[in-house]
Amino acid sequence: MGFSAGEKRWRERLGSLRDVVRQELVSRQLAAHLPPAPAGVLDVGCGQGTQALRAAAQGHRVTALDASGDLLGLLKEQVEPGMAIDVVQAPAERLGELFEPGSFDVVLCHGVLMYFDDPDPLLAAMAGLLAPGGLLSLLVRNGDALAMRAGLRGDWAAAREAFDGSGYTNRLGVVARADRLDDLTRRLAVQELGVLEWYGVRVFADLAADDAPLPDDLDLLLECEERAGASEPYRRVAPLVHVIARAGHAK
């Protein structure tokens, strides 16, 4: 079932503190690496389209792909005149048949890889769609810190299992998979993708309640999150890792 099993819960939590922190941090981290507009951007598993819409607002030519018609409907409601966005309803597994090789300057894949038992076919498909020197932006569950949330909640059995495992049940109630940074770096290198930079996401706000409202000092919270996500030792224990890789620059 993957993400579709938890889609209703996901929609209910849009605009919550955890959602806003995630989207804002990813946007800020990505901004330092995006090429000048207009670039061709593919958002794989775009969901409600937060990042796709922001890229289009910056003048990029965006293709937003998702399997959910309901989530794509939310995206379409927010498209403004002048935005160059093509919306495609299809699963990520169909990338290779839908698009020509090398046809995008940037591919975004945020919060998707954890729903694939084997991430390599999707990584290969996305790598194949990148133009020479193109960028891949991945947001994944941090396997190196998988025990943190369970431990901070006092769930010691889950924490003990997480030290050596990669599976977990997320807040949507869906069984998912985490990636360890070194392993993901090796997987990307096989696809001739080299990691340019990586960041932690939601270091401090991850334990907030699902319905936590936005605080009055949101700007200060985001400033702290941004700094933590770009520095040691904080980014190492972030629940999410944001990886920026470039095609043709594997080490």
Side-chain angles (χ1 to χ4, degrees):
M1 294 290 289
F3 173 78
S4 61
E7 182 183 324
K8 182 176 183 294
R9 295 188 187 94
W10 172 267
R11 294 200 307 270
E12 291 170 348
R13 297 168 188 179
L14 292 175
S16 67
L17 174 61
R18 296 176 75 254
D19 175 55
V20 168
V21 169
R22 165 186 154 159
Q23 299 292 355
E24 183 62 30
L25 265 289
V26 168
S27 291
R28 294 184 184 192
Q29 294 159 356
L30 188 58
H33 303 280
L34 284 177
V41 178
L42 171 65
D43 192 348
V44 178
C46 63
Q48 75 281 358
T50 302
Q51 298 302 325
L53 290 162
R54 292 184 182 188
Q58 295 165 10
H60 297 295
R61 306 181 306 274
V62 178
T63 300
L65 178 141
D66 201 277
S68 170
D70 289 340
L71 289 175
L72 290 177
L74 296 177
L75 185 161
K76 292 175 182 177
E77 291 174 359
Q78 300 176 75
V79 175
E80 298 180 359
M83 285 185 175
I85 298 186
D86 289 328
V87 176
V88 179
Q89 184 176 354
E93 291 89 342
R94 292 186 58 201
L95 288 178
E97 65 183 82
L98 291 173
F99 307 109
E100 293 295 324
S103 53
F104 295 98
D105 303 300
V106 180
V107 174
L108 312 179
C109 184
H110 300 153
V112 175
L113 215 60
M114 62 268 288
Y115 296 109
F116 284 76
D117 292 335
D118 180 2
D120 290 328
L122 180 56
L123 290 174
M126 293 188 294
L129 296 180
L130 285 171
L135 292 178
L136 175 64
S137 172
L138 292 172
L139 184 69
V140 302
R141 174 63 57 175
N142 183 8
D144 295 320
L146 197 56
M148 283 293 293
R149 180 190 291 174
L152 290 172
R153 288 181 166 180
D155 187 346
W156 306 117
R160 179 180 59 188
E161 183 178 351
F163 280 116
D164 300 311
S166 61
Y168 68 102
T169 299
N170 62 23
R171 287 202 185 189
L172 302 178
V174 179
V175 176
R177 186 189 57 80
D179 287 285
R180 286 179 162 79
L181 182 61
D182 288 346
D183 181 55
L184 183 58
T185 299
R186 287 191 291 269
R187 291 178 184 274
L188 291 169
V190 171
Q191 307 301 334
E192 299 187 352
L193 291 161
V195 174
L196 296 180
E197 188 57 272
W198 67 275
Y199 306 91
V201 173
R202 216 161 55 202
V203 174
F204 302 123
D206 195 59
L207 287 179
D210 293 333
D211 58 353
L214 302 184
D216 293 336
D217 57 353
L218 178 62
D219 289 343
L220 182 57
L221 186 159
L222 291 171
E223 179 184 339
C224 292
E225 286 276 6
E226 186 173 13
R227 183 168 179 177
S231 62
E232 302 289 0
Y234 306 102
R235 65 179 183 168
R236 289 280 174 184
V237 296
L240 300 169
V241 167
H242 183 197
V243 174
I244 307 291
R246 186 183 298 279
H249 282 66
K251 296 180 180 179

